[in-house]
């Protein structure tokens, strides 16, 4: 069983360009990686002796809301710039170790490489992150909305500056 | 044995009533519901159908197709995505058809009334409701009360005057 620091050092040696830093959070240390190489890092984490991260426990999107906030006349907020993030919680069932990865991607064009080819369970998780935050997962085999209706064109509901539409298919949406 | 003419016909099982009352009585005694559940209210609805509360004693039987159903119980949170499907199911039911809105979510959006971006705030925005049952979720007794209210409504229907 390896600590997060040890795992970070192994990854840093293998991917000096794409493994950026180890965030020391009060809850758990998080390894920050670049979105364009996350699939390669994940393949390495899965297939390397001593790491063997065979399970993606959860993949979640986060709106960091760290851009420029602009308050509109009606009191609603628009956010320009900043980032959206994706968190990967991995577990090795055989070695009983865990690790958390994070990638950040620009809010205006959020693109992250898909890890569906590494763990099949990522398929629906990535579709959910796409549905809720609009993060595009490159090389995903079937990237479409999973919870909201397919014809939902009012944006991505879990973004901090999301505005609900007045009507959907003739039905009034607000209370 | 006596011949036919000699027999007495005093206990002949004849009841005199109005056609309207007979029809209404038949309808209210066999409210077949569409087998359709949405959320936690559906668990209470199933409990109502089960042996302890026994919905069947009021003639309520779940049917597997809207074409054989007289009533639909909207039992749970209606999302916008589901609302379009419910509307289609409702349109597939033959007249006369009745709707019981069960629980806060279906009545008004319930706890999702403000921030539920995907929730329809009341099924009555899509289809006409006959009886609203409050509760979150309503107990089986409350759903039974709702059914009795619906039966009362059917009992007072008129063939010539449209009431619903």
């Amino acid at each position: 069983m390896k600590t997060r620091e040890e795992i970070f050092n192994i990854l840093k040696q293998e991917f000096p360009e794409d493994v950026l830093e180890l965030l020391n959070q009060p809850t758990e240390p998080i390894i920050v990686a670049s979105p364009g190489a996350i699939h390669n890092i994940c393949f390495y984490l899965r297939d390397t002796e001593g790491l063997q991260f065979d399970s993606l426990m959860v993949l979640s999107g986060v709106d960091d809301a760290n851009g420029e906030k602009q308050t509109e006349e009606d009191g609603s907020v628009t956010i320009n710039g900043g980032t959206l993030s994706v968190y990967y919680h991995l577990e090795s069932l055989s070695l009983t170790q865990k690790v958390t990865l994070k990638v950040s991607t620009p809010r205006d064009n959020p693109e992250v490489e898909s890890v569906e080819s590494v763990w099949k369970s990522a398929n629906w998780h990535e579709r959910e992150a796409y549905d809720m935050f609009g993060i595009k997962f490159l090389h995903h085999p079937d990237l479409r909305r999973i919870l909201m209706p397919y014809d939902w064109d009012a944006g991505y509901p879990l973004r901090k500056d999301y505005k609900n539409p007045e009507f959907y298919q003739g039905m009034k949406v607000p209370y | 044995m006596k011949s036919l003419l000699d027999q007495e016909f005093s206990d002949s099982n004849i009841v005199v009533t109005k056609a309207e009352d007979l029809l209404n009585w038949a309808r209210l005694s066999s409210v077949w519901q569409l087998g359709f559940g949405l959320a936690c209210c559906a668990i209470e609805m199933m409990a109502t159908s089960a042996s302890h509360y026994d919905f069947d004693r009021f003639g309520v039987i779940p049917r597997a197709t809207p074409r054989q159903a007289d009533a639909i119980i909207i039992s749970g949170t209606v999302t916008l995505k589901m609302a379009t499907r419910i509307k289609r199911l409702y349109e597939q039911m033959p007249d006369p058809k009745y709707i019981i809105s069960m629980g806060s979510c279906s009545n008004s959006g319930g706890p999702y009334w403000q921030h539920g971006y995907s929730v329809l705030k009341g099924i009555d925005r899509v289809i006409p409701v006959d009886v609203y049952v409050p509760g979150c979720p309503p107990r089986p007794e409350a759903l039974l009360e709702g059914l009795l209210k619906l039966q009362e409504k059917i009992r007072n229907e008129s063939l010539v005057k449209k009431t619903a």
Side-chain angles (χ1 to χ4, degrees):
Chain A
M1 201 175 130
K2 289 186 167 59
T3 63
R4 314 279 165 119
E5 286 76 17
E6 287 169 330
I7 295 167
F8 173 74
N9 290 331
I10 295 170
L11 285 180
K12 188 72 189 168
Q13 217 160 29
E14 191 67 26
F15 304 93
E17 302 279 294
D18 294 318
V19 175
L20 305 172
E21 57 172 325
L22 185 69
L23 278 183
N24 269 305
Q25 302 275 4
T27 46
E28 53 173 357
I30 294 171
I31 299 170
V32 184
S34 62
I38 186 66
H39 58 308
N40 292 330
I41 295 170
C42 286
F43 268 124
Y44 183 79
L45 281 167
R46 189 189 70 179
D47 295 335
T48 307
E49 188 73 25
L51 296 173
Q52 286 157 276
F53 286 99
D54 43 23
S55 163
L56 172 69
M57 290 193 292
V58 67
L59 180 158
S60 35
V62 171
D63 185 357
D64 299 317
N66 51 6
E68 197 182 310
K69 291 186 185 70
Q70 200 181 331
T71 310
E72 308 286 327
E73 278 175 25
D74 58 352
S76 64
V77 177
T78 318
I79 303 174
N80 296 307
T83 56
L84 300 173
S85 293
V86 182
Y87 285 76
Y88 305 81
H89 290 262
L90 314 182
E91 185 183 18
S92 168
L93 293 164
S94 47
L95 302 177
T96 60
Q97 57 189 4
K98 291 178 185 172
V99 72
T100 307
L101 299 172
K102 173 195 174 183
V103 299
S104 290
T105 173
R107 193 191 181 82
D108 358 296
N109 186 27
E111 286 183 345
V112 179
E113 279 292 335
S114 170
V115 296
E116 193 270 346
S117 49
V118 190
W119 301 284
K120 287 289 169 217
S121 62
N123 189 320
W124 281 19
H125 287 163
E126 286 179 347
R127 278 179 66 187
E128 189 185 0
Y130 165 71
D131 196 358
M132 295 289 124
F133 296 96
I135 299 165
K136 285 174 197 73
F137 291 90
L138 306 173
H139 305 113
H140 188 286
D142 182 30
L143 193 66
R144 59 198 162 101
R145 288 189 183 271
I146 188 170
L147 297 168
M148 302 301 285
Y150 296 135
D151 61 346
W152 188 258
D153 54 8
Y156 304 103
L158 290 193
R159 285 202 185 185
K160 294 291 183 192
D161 60 349
Y162 172 75
K163 289 171 199 71
N164 225 12
E166 278 295 308
F167 286 92
Y168 168 71
Q169 288 202 5
M171 294 178 282
K172 191 173 164 237
V173 179
Y175 185 73
Chain B
M1 191 175 173
K2 288 178 182 172
S3 70
L4 194 66
L5 286 172
D6 295 324
Q7 283 181 38
E8 284 185 11
F9 290 95
S10 57
D11 184 22
S12 53
N13 283 326
I14 290 173
V15 177
V16 180
T17 182
K18 289 185 283 182
E20 201 166 80
D21 287 349
L22 178 70
L23 269 174
N24 287 345
W25 169 79
R27 276 175 189 162
L28 71 87
S29 309
S30 61
V31 182
W32 288 2
Q33 62 147 324
L34 182 59
F36 175 77
L38 282 176
C40 31
C41 279
I43 305 291
E44 294 297 302
M45 186 183 72
M46 286 182 269
T48 317
S49 290
S51 52
H52 197 93
Y53 291 95
D54 196 12
F55 234 175
D56 198 3
R57 69 198 153 121
F58 301 102
V60 180
I61 311 170
R63 303 300 297 180
T65 159
R67 297 177 204 288
Q68 297 174 354
D70 304 305
I72 180 170
I73 300 177
I74 310 297
S75 53
T77 315
V78 183
T79 58
L80 295 165
K81 203 174 176 180
M82 198 55 171
T84 53
R85 274 88 167 158
I86 290 180
K87 191 161 198 307
R88 170 167 293 191
L89 285 172
Y90 173 73
E91 282 164 357
Q92 286 175 341
M93 284 163 59
D95 277 320
K97 49 192 169 185
Y98 305 97
I99 296 164
I100 296 177
S101 168
M102 180 184 182
S104 299
C105 290
S106 160
N107 290 345
S108 67
Y112 312 104
W113 71 277
Q114 192 174 18
H115 297 297
Y117 54 85
S118 60
V119 176
L120 182 73
K121 277 79 179 180
I123 188 63
D124 50 7
R125 292 186 178 188
V126 179
I127 49 177
V129 174
D130 290 289
V131 178
Y132 297 86
V133 180
C136 186
R139 280 195 55 84
E141 293 92 331
L143 184 58
L144 289 175
E145 176 78 20
L147 178 78
L148 293 179
K149 280 273 173 242
L150 179 64
Q151 290 189 329
E152 207 174 290
K153 196 169 175 175
I154 299 172
R155 188 175 284 119
N156 294 320
E157 272 183 356
S158 166
L159 284 176
V160 278
K161 257 195 315 198
K162 207 157 165 53
T163 49

